[in-house]
Amino acid sequence: QVQLVESGGGLVQAGGSLRLSCAASGRSFSTYGMGWFRQAPGKEREFVSGISTSGTSTYYEDSVKGRFTIFRDNAKNTVSLQMNSLKPEDTAVYYCAAGRWTGWIRRAVYEYDYWGQGTQVTVSS
């Protein structure tokens, strides 16, 4: 069982940066793969980035490669998403998620078991 709480969202101008954080409580955080997803109004929730249990493997959706970085600190039970060079199309509610999987990074919503409440990111032009 994992409880997740996101923070760090806000309003930023295009080209700016934000760092999102997700604090986890519960047993055995380090046994869960973690992901960040986002959902814009009227659109499906989509995968942004994922990270393996140890943090040694990561994966990024094409549109954020080179701009976003995912990392985790298992000692602090946190996973973060550093977002640089933000664009208006990055505007969405961002969610962190946990899934009890190993191996390749999972990219589908149904492959995750626990979700945070979301944090709003708005990028103005």
Side-chain angles (χ1 to χ4, degrees), residues 39-43 91-93:
Q39 187 167 20
K43 299 185 69 176
T91 295
V93 177

Side-chain angles (χ1 to χ4, degrees), residues 54-86:
S54 66
T56 58
S57 296
T58 60
Y59 193 89
Y60 299 91
E61 188 254 333
D62 286 343
S63 68
V64 308
K65 287 180 180 177
R67 300 189 298 121
F68 290 11
T69 303
I70 188 172
F71 56 97
R72 68 190 293 163
D73 186 338
N74 286 345
K76 296 181 178 180
N77 282 16
T78 60
V79 61
S80 300
L81 186 70
Q82 177 67 44
M83 306 186 294
N84 298 328
S85 302
L86 283 162

Side-chain angles (χ1 to χ4, degrees), residues 3 13 29 31 38 47 52 74 76 81 88-89 96 101:
Q3 294 80 46
Q13 291 184 324
F29 171 75
T31 69
R38 65 188 180 188
F47 174 83
S52 62
N74 286 345
K76 296 181 178 180
L81 186 70
E89 51 263 46
C96 67
W101 46 259

